[in-house]
Amino acid sequence: NAGVTQTPKFQVLKTGQSMTLQCAQDMNHEYMSWYRQDPGMGLRLIHYSVGAGITDQGEVPNGYNVSRSTTEDFPLRLLSAAPSQTSVYFCASSLGPDRPGELFFGEGSRLTVL
Amino acid sequence: AQTVTQSQPEMSVQEAETVTLSCTYDTSESNYYLFWYKQPPSRQMILVIRQEAYKQQNATENRFSVNFQKAAKSFSLKISDSQLGDTAMYFCAFMKLFTGANNLFFGTGTRLTVIP
């Protein structure tokens, strides 16, 4: 059972470069989201989607872009990487109202911006 | 805005003993959900337990139970008969009563180490 798959697991970027973090889930979940985890700050919501073609901003959306063209995939794009975006990124999916707050997480992607 | 506070950055417990992790939160909502999530060293986070604020009964899942004090806005997690596999980062989280998206507010986490 794959669940939520994130790639890459590790990435080093230079300031100003762009990249895409991939996220795919095989559980037919409608809801997907991206969080970042920073030391001493817990997880913060970047963007989320409640279905294909629908996305919205979370708590810390600046510098990131998302799209949801299929139910399975929810990529996160860094438009012009900055050192402040050094973090561990987690993608999550969920069933939605049937199981409130029950998120299934990927293993995370550690991004370092130099 | 919602805030979730975990005041214990690190804790340790002897194997087979009981440990309680603390969490407080602040909200103006009257109905909401509270959660404890576990993040083992492998980093994949999993849901441990969920509490609905409109339920007075404390949630229990096997060795995991909560003490939910709504008036005090307190939500602690008790782990009984601690096992080595309980070693992990534990996050307390808050969610408004379902508003069309499963968006959670997380605390900063408590790192728990179970000592053999």
Side-chain angles (χ1 to χ4, degrees):
Chain A
N1 294 336
V4 179
T5 302
Q6 290 181 233
T7 56
K9 287 186 169 47
F10 301 93
Q11 183 71 48
V12 179
L13 288 179
K14 294 181 179 178
T15 297
Q17 288 184 319
S18 62
M19 77 157 298
T20 300
L21 298 176
Q22 301 291 345
C23 177
Q25 54 94 6
D26 61 358
M27 297 174 283
N28 202 30
H29 287 170
E30 285 297 316
Y31 289 41
M32 297 186 75
S33 51
W34 278 101
Y35 290 83
R36 59 178 288 175
Q37 183 181 27
D38 300 297
M41 298 192 73
L43 282 81
R44 292 180 292 168
L45 181 65
I46 305 171
H47 284 285
Y48 64 97
S49 169
V50 298
I54 305 169
T55 64
D56 207 345
Q57 297 181 351
E59 185 183 358
V60 289
N62 292 341
Y64 306 95
N65 210 349
V66 292
S67 60
R68 184 98 181 270
S69 56
T70 67
T71 298
E72 294 77 20
D73 300 298
F74 191 45
L76 178 72
R77 297 182 185 85
L78 280 71
L79 309 173
S80 177
S84 61
Q85 292 178 304
T86 293
S87 188
V88 181
Y89 292 85
F90 289 94
C91 179
S93 72
S94 62
L95 275 170
D98 291 343
R99 300 297 292 265
E102 184 172 0
L103 304 184
F104 293 82
F105 284 87
E107 293 187 352
S109 298
R110 183 176 295 276
L111 175 66
T112 301
V113 183
L114 303 175
Chain B
Q2 283 65 229
T3 58
V4 179
T5 302
Q6 295 179 249
S7 58
Q8 305 153 314
E10 294 188 16
M11 294 189 71
S12 61
V13 62
Q14 291 290 139
E15 195 174 5
E17 297 294 309
T18 295
V19 65
T20 298
L21 309 182
S22 301
C23 173
T24 59
Y25 58 95
D26 189 22
T27 184
S28 58
E29 305 285 330
S30 56
N31 288 310
Y32 45 86
Y33 299 95
L34 294 164
F35 309 87
W36 280 97
Y37 271 84
K38 170 184 177 181
Q39 186 181 39
S42 65
R43 299 194 299 168
Q44 197 157 20
M45 200 172 310
I46 58 173
L47 177 65
V48 175
I49 200 163
R50 172 175 53 221
Q51 174 78 45
E52 293 88 348
Y54 56 87
K55 290 185 179 179
Q56 295 205 351
Q57 187 172 6
N58 289 325
T60 299
E61 289 286 344
N62 301 315
R63 296 183 296 108
F64 298 88
S65 61
V66 299
N67 183 3
F68 173 49
Q69 302 289 329
K70 191 173 183 180
K73 294 182 180 175
S74 170
F75 183 61
S76 60
L77 175 70
K78 185 172 82 171
I79 306 174
S80 303
D81 185 25
S82 296
Q83 300 175 0
L84 296 179
D86 295 333
T87 291
M89 197 78 167
Y90 287 83
F91 291 96
C92 179
F94 171 98
M95 190 179 87
K96 296 179 183 180
L97 199 65
F98 197 75
T99 55
N102 267 344
N103 295 338
L104 274 61
F105 293 90
F106 287 86
T108 54
T110 297
R111 185 177 303 280
L112 176 68
T113 301
V114 179
I115 302 167

PDB file of all heavy atoms in Angstrom, chain A residues 1-25:
ATOM      1  N   ASN A   1       0.841  -1.206   0.000  1.00  0.00           N
ATOM      2  CA  ASN A   1       0.000   0.000   0.000  1.00  0.00           C
ATOM      3  C   ASN A   1       0.868   1.244   0.000  1.00  0.00           C
ATOM      4  O   ASN A   1       1.561   1.518   0.956  1.00  0.00           O
ATOM      5  CB  ASN A   1      -0.882   0.011   1.235  1.00  0.00           C
ATOM      6  CG  ASN A   1      -1.891  -1.122   1.214  1.00  0.00           C
ATOM      7  OD1 ASN A   1      -2.222  -1.616   0.154  1.00  0.00           O
ATOM      8  ND2 ASN A   1      -2.350  -1.513   2.374  1.00  0.00           N
ATOM      9  N   ALA A   2       0.819   2.040  -1.091  1.00  0.00           N
ATOM     10  CA  ALA A   2       1.699   3.193  -1.211  1.00  0.00           C
ATOM     11  C   ALA A   2       1.236   4.336  -0.303  1.00  0.00           C
ATOM     12  O   ALA A   2       2.038   4.970   0.338  1.00  0.00           O
ATOM     13  CB  ALA A   2       1.765   3.655  -2.657  1.00  0.00           C
ATOM     14  N   GLY A   3      -0.063   4.626  -0.245  1.00  0.00           N
ATOM     15  CA  GLY A   3      -0.537   5.728   0.579  1.00  0.00           C
ATOM     16  C   GLY A   3      -0.207   7.064  -0.071  1.00  0.00           C
ATOM     17  O   GLY A   3      -0.592   7.330  -1.201  1.00  0.00           O
ATOM     18  N   VAL A   4       0.522   7.918   0.650  1.00  0.00           N
ATOM     19  CA  VAL A   4       0.942   9.224   0.155  1.00  0.00           C
ATOM     20  C   VAL A   4       2.438   9.168  -0.146  1.00  0.00           C
ATOM     21  O   VAL A   4       3.229   8.857   0.740  1.00  0.00           O
ATOM     22  CB  VAL A   4       0.648  10.340   1.177  1.00  0.00           C
ATOM     23  CG1 VAL A   4       1.119  11.687   0.636  1.00  0.00           C
ATOM     24  CG2 VAL A   4      -0.837  10.374   1.515  1.00  0.00           C
ATOM     25  N   THR A   5       2.772   9.474  -1.387  1.00  0.00           N
ATOM     26  CA  THR A   5       4.169   9.391  -1.827  1.00  0.00           C
ATOM     27  C   THR A   5       4.681  10.766  -2.203  1.00  0.00           C
ATOM     28  O   THR A   5       4.064  11.458  -3.025  1.00  0.00           O
ATOM     29  CB  THR A   5       4.296   8.452  -3.035  1.00  0.00           C
ATOM     30  OG1 THR A   5       3.794   7.159  -2.691  1.00  0.00           O
ATOM     31  CG2 THR A   5       5.759   8.318  -3.451  1.00  0.00           C
ATOM     32  N   GLN A   6       5.791  11.147  -1.604  1.00  0.00           N
ATOM     33  CA  GLN A   6       6.417  12.438  -1.891  1.00  0.00           C
ATOM     34  C   GLN A   6       7.780  12.224  -2.534  1.00  0.00           C
ATOM     35  O   GLN A   6       8.543  11.350  -2.118  1.00  0.00           O
ATOM     36  CB  GLN A   6       6.640  13.241  -0.601  1.00  0.00           C
ATOM     37  CG  GLN A   6       5.409  13.749   0.057  1.00  0.00           C
ATOM     38  CD  GLN A   6       5.740  14.560   1.302  1.00  0.00           C
ATOM     39  OE1 GLN A   6       5.231  14.298   2.377  1.00  0.00           O
ATOM     40  NE2 GLN A   6       6.597  15.573   1.143  1.00  0.00           N
ATOM     41  N   THR A   7       8.068  13.031  -3.533  1.00  0.00           N
ATOM     42  CA  THR A   7       9.406  13.052  -4.134  1.00  0.00           C
ATOM     43  C   THR A   7       9.798  14.482  -4.461  1.00  0.00           C
ATOM     44  O   THR A   7       8.934  15.315  -4.786  1.00  0.00           O
ATOM     45  CB  THR A   7       9.446  12.216  -5.434  1.00  0.00           C
ATOM     46  OG1 THR A   7       8.442  12.705  -6.328  1.00  0.00           O
ATOM     47  CG2 THR A   7       9.244  10.749  -5.150  1.00  0.00           C
ATOM     48  N   PRO A   8      11.098  14.818  -4.360  1.00  0.00           N
ATOM     49  CA  PRO A   8      12.168  13.980  -3.808  1.00  0.00           C
ATOM     50  C   PRO A   8      12.145  13.995  -2.284  1.00  0.00           C
ATOM     51  O   PRO A   8      11.434  14.792  -1.689  1.00  0.00           O
ATOM     52  CB  PRO A   8      13.421  14.689  -4.329  1.00  0.00           C
ATOM     53  CG  PRO A   8      13.029  16.142  -4.345  1.00  0.00           C
ATOM     54  CD  PRO A   8      11.577  16.153  -4.761  1.00  0.00           C
ATOM     55  N   LYS A   9      12.920  13.135  -1.659  1.00  0.00           N
ATOM     56  CA  LYS A   9      13.026  13.122  -0.197  1.00  0.00           C
ATOM     57  C   LYS A   9      14.006  14.178   0.290  1.00  0.00           C
ATOM     58  O   LYS A   9      13.863  14.702   1.399  1.00  0.00           O
ATOM     59  CB  LYS A   9      13.439  11.745   0.288  1.00  0.00           C
ATOM     60  CG  LYS A   9      12.337  10.708   0.177  1.00  0.00           C
ATOM     61  CD  LYS A   9      12.709   9.404   0.797  1.00  0.00           C
ATOM     62  CE  LYS A   9      11.511   8.457   0.933  1.00  0.00           C
ATOM     63  NZ  LYS A   9      10.689   8.361  -0.278  1.00  0.00           N
ATOM     64  N   PHE A  10      14.991  14.482  -0.509  1.00  0.00           N
ATOM     65  CA  PHE A  10      15.992  15.493  -0.162  1.00  0.00           C
ATOM     66  C   PHE A  10      16.281  16.332  -1.405  1.00  0.00           C
ATOM     67  O   PHE A  10      16.319  15.809  -2.510  1.00  0.00           O
ATOM     68  CB  PHE A  10      17.300  14.859   0.329  1.00  0.00           C
ATOM     69  CG  PHE A  10      17.151  13.991   1.533  1.00  0.00           C
ATOM     70  CD1 PHE A  10      16.946  12.634   1.411  1.00  0.00           C
ATOM     71  CD2 PHE A  10      17.205  14.541   2.806  1.00  0.00           C
ATOM     72  CE1 PHE A  10      16.792  11.829   2.527  1.00  0.00           C
ATOM     73  CE2 PHE A  10      17.054  13.756   3.928  1.00  0.00           C
ATOM     74  CZ  PHE A  10      16.843  12.391   3.791  1.00  0.00           C
ATOM     75  N   GLN A  11      16.494  17.630  -1.184  1.00  0.00           N
ATOM     76  CA  GLN A  11      16.824  18.518  -2.287  1.00  0.00           C
ATOM     77  C   GLN A  11      17.597  19.716  -1.750  1.00  0.00           C
ATOM     78  O   GLN A  11      17.230  20.271  -0.708  1.00  0.00           O
ATOM     79  CB  GLN A  11      15.560  18.991  -2.990  1.00  0.00           C
ATOM     80  CG  GLN A  11      15.793  19.863  -4.217  1.00  0.00           C
ATOM     81  CD  GLN A  11      16.342  19.082  -5.387  1.00  0.00           C
ATOM     82  OE1 GLN A  11      15.853  18.022  -5.744  1.00  0.00           O
ATOM     83  NE2 GLN A  11      17.395  19.605  -5.995  1.00  0.00           N
ATOM     84  N   VAL A  12      18.639  20.090  -2.485  1.00  0.00           N
ATOM     85  CA  VAL A  12      19.380  21.307  -2.169  1.00  0.00           C
ATOM     86  C   VAL A  12      19.236  22.255  -3.357  1.00  0.00           C
ATOM     87  O   VAL A  12      19.470  21.864  -4.496  1.00  0.00           O
ATOM     88  CB  VAL A  12      20.874  21.019  -1.902  1.00  0.00           C
ATOM     89  CG1 VAL A  12      21.616  22.316  -1.610  1.00  0.00           C
ATOM     90  CG2 VAL A  12      21.031  20.056  -0.725  1.00  0.00           C
ATOM     91  N   LEU A  13      18.852  23.468  -3.067  1.00  0.00           N
ATOM     92  CA  LEU A  13      18.664  24.478  -4.111  1.00  0.00           C
ATOM     93  C   LEU A  13      19.528  25.698  -3.809  1.00  0.00           C
ATOM     94  O   LEU A  13      19.877  25.952  -2.653  1.00  0.00           O
ATOM     95  CB  LEU A  13      17.202  24.939  -4.153  1.00  0.00           C
ATOM     96  CG  LEU A  13      16.129  24.012  -4.684  1.00  0.00           C
ATOM     97  CD1 LEU A  13      14.772  24.698  -4.583  1.00  0.00           C
ATOM     98  CD2 LEU A  13      16.419  23.616  -6.125  1.00  0.00           C
ATOM     99  N   LYS A  14      19.777  26.454  -4.846  1.00  0.00           N
ATOM    100  CA  LYS A  14      20.394  27.762  -4.663  1.00  0.00           C
ATOM    101  C   LYS A  14      19.300  28.824  -4.672  1.00  0.00           C
ATOM    102  O   LYS A  14      18.244  28.649  -5.316  1.00  0.00           O
ATOM    103  CB  LYS A  14      21.409  28.036  -5.768  1.00  0.00           C
ATOM    104  CG  LYS A  14      22.608  27.103  -5.738  1.00  0.00           C
ATOM    105  CD  LYS A  14      23.582  27.450  -6.841  1.00  0.00           C
ATOM    106  CE  LYS A  14      24.806  26.510  -6.795  1.00  0.00           C
ATOM    107  NZ  LYS A  14      25.751  26.794  -7.891  1.00  0.00           N
ATOM    108  N   THR A  15      19.563  29.892  -3.977  1.00  0.00           N
ATOM    109  CA  THR A  15      18.591  30.990  -3.949  1.00  0.00           C
ATOM    110  C   THR A  15      18.225  31.410  -5.364  1.00  0.00           C
ATOM    111  O   THR A  15      19.091  31.584  -6.228  1.00  0.00           O
ATOM    112  CB  THR A  15      19.190  32.195  -3.190  1.00  0.00           C
ATOM    113  OG1 THR A  15      19.427  31.812  -1.830  1.00  0.00           O
ATOM    114  CG2 THR A  15      18.243  33.370  -3.203  1.00  0.00           C
ATOM    115  N   GLY A  16      16.909  31.540  -5.583  1.00  0.00           N
ATOM    116  CA  GLY A  16      16.422  31.961  -6.887  1.00  0.00           C
ATOM    117  C   GLY A  16      16.012  30.822  -7.803  1.00  0.00           C
ATOM    118  O   GLY A  16      15.276  31.051  -8.782  1.00  0.00           O
ATOM    119  N   GLN A  17      16.445  29.620  -7.504  1.00  0.00           N
ATOM    120  CA  GLN A  17      16.043  28.486  -8.332  1.00  0.00           C
ATOM    121  C   GLN A  17      14.589  28.114  -8.056  1.00  0.00           C
ATOM    122  O   GLN A  17      14.052  28.421  -6.985  1.00  0.00           O
ATOM    123  CB  GLN A  17      16.954  27.272  -8.062  1.00  0.00           C
ATOM    124  CG  GLN A  17      18.343  27.408  -8.620  1.00  0.00           C
ATOM    125  CD  GLN A  17      19.175  26.149  -8.421  1.00  0.00           C
ATOM    126  OE1 GLN A  17      19.136  25.507  -7.363  1.00  0.00           O
ATOM    127  NE2 GLN A  17      19.946  25.790  -9.433  1.00  0.00           N
ATOM    128  N   SER A  18      14.000  27.440  -9.010  1.00  0.00           N
ATOM    129  CA  SER A  18      12.630  26.956  -8.826  1.00  0.00           C
ATOM    130  C   SER A  18      12.644  25.437  -8.828  1.00  0.00           C
ATOM    131  O   SER A  18      13.590  24.813  -9.354  1.00  0.00           O
ATOM    132  CB  SER A  18      11.725  27.472  -9.941  1.00  0.00           C
ATOM    133  OG  SER A  18      12.168  26.992 -11.194  1.00  0.00           O
ATOM    134  N   MET A  19      11.624  24.874  -8.211  1.00  0.00           N
ATOM    135  CA  MET A  19      11.506  23.423  -8.225  1.00  0.00           C
ATOM    136  C   MET A  19      10.075  23.034  -7.855  1.00  0.00           C
ATOM    137  O   MET A  19       9.305  23.873  -7.362  1.00  0.00           O
ATOM    138  CB  MET A  19      12.481  22.770  -7.255  1.00  0.00           C
ATOM    139  CG  MET A  19      12.076  22.844  -5.814  1.00  0.00           C
ATOM    140  SD  MET A  19      12.826  21.561  -4.782  1.00  0.00           S
ATOM    141  CE  MET A  19      12.190  20.058  -5.508  1.00  0.00           C
ATOM    142  N   THR A  20       9.766  21.770  -8.088  1.00  0.00           N
ATOM    143  CA  THR A  20       8.454  21.233  -7.755  1.00  0.00           C
ATOM    144  C   THR A  20       8.605  20.029  -6.853  1.00  0.00           C
ATOM    145  O   THR A  20       9.371  19.109  -7.163  1.00  0.00           O
ATOM    146  CB  THR A  20       7.677  20.838  -9.020  1.00  0.00           C
ATOM    147  OG1 THR A  20       7.494  21.999  -9.841  1.00  0.00           O
ATOM    148  CG2 THR A  20       6.328  20.250  -8.661  1.00  0.00           C
ATOM    149  N   LEU A  21       7.892  20.050  -5.739  1.00  0.00           N
ATOM    150  CA  LEU A  21       7.779  18.877  -4.876  1.00  0.00           C
ATOM    151  C   LEU A  21       6.538  18.107  -5.322  1.00  0.00           C
ATOM    152  O   LEU A  21       5.446  18.680  -5.402  1.00  0.00           O
ATOM    153  CB  LEU A  21       7.649  19.286  -3.407  1.00  0.00           C
ATOM    154  CG  LEU A  21       8.825  20.055  -2.811  1.00  0.00           C
ATOM    155  CD1 LEU A  21       8.507  20.474  -1.383  1.00  0.00           C
ATOM    156  CD2 LEU A  21      10.095  19.223  -2.855  1.00  0.00           C
ATOM    157  N   GLN A  22       6.748  16.835  -5.564  1.00  0.00           N
ATOM    158  CA  GLN A  22       5.640  16.020  -6.058  1.00  0.00           C
ATOM    159  C   GLN A  22       4.943  15.311  -4.903  1.00  0.00           C
ATOM    160  O   GLN A  22       5.578  14.906  -3.928  1.00  0.00           O
ATOM    161  CB  GLN A  22       6.137  14.988  -7.063  1.00  0.00           C
ATOM    162  CG  GLN A  22       6.838  15.557  -8.283  1.00  0.00           C
ATOM    163  CD  GLN A  22       5.891  16.296  -9.217  1.00  0.00           C
ATOM    164  OE1 GLN A  22       4.661  16.181  -9.126  1.00  0.00           O
ATOM    165  NE2 GLN A  22       6.462  17.075 -10.136  1.00  0.00           N
ATOM    166  N   CYS A  23       3.635  15.161  -5.027  1.00  0.00           N
ATOM    167  CA  CYS A  23       2.854  14.421  -4.044  1.00  0.00           C
ATOM    168  C   CYS A  23       1.782  13.643  -4.780  1.00  0.00           C
ATOM    169  O   CYS A  23       1.042  14.222  -5.601  1.00  0.00           O
ATOM    170  CB  CYS A  23       2.210  15.365  -3.032  1.00  0.00           C
ATOM    171  SG  CYS A  23       1.140  14.506  -1.839  1.00  0.00           S
ATOM    172  N   ALA A  24       1.689  12.355  -4.486  1.00  0.00           N
ATOM    173  CA  ALA A  24       0.675  11.515  -5.098  1.00  0.00           C
ATOM    174  C   ALA A  24       0.076  10.609  -4.034  1.00  0.00           C
ATOM    175  O   ALA A  24       0.781  10.125  -3.162  1.00  0.00           O
ATOM    176  CB  ALA A  24       1.275  10.672  -6.217  1.00  0.00           C
ATOM    177  N   GLN A  25      -1.232  10.406  -4.128  1.00  0.00           N
ATOM    178  CA  GLN A  25      -1.904   9.485  -3.206  1.00  0.00           C
ATOM    179  C   GLN A  25      -2.781   8.525  -4.008  1.00  0.00           C
ATOM    180  O   GLN A  25      -3.350   8.888  -5.034  1.00  0.00           O
ATOM    181  CB  GLN A  25      -2.717  10.249  -2.140  1.00  0.00           C
ATOM    182  CG  GLN A  25      -3.704  11.255  -2.685  1.00  0.00           C
ATOM    183  CD  GLN A  25      -5.109  10.745  -2.872  1.00  0.00           C
ATOM    184  OE1 GLN A  25      -5.437   9.606  -2.494  1.00  0.00           O
ATOM    185  NE2 GLN A  25      -5.962  11.579  -3.449  1.00  0.00           N
TER     186      GLN A  25
END
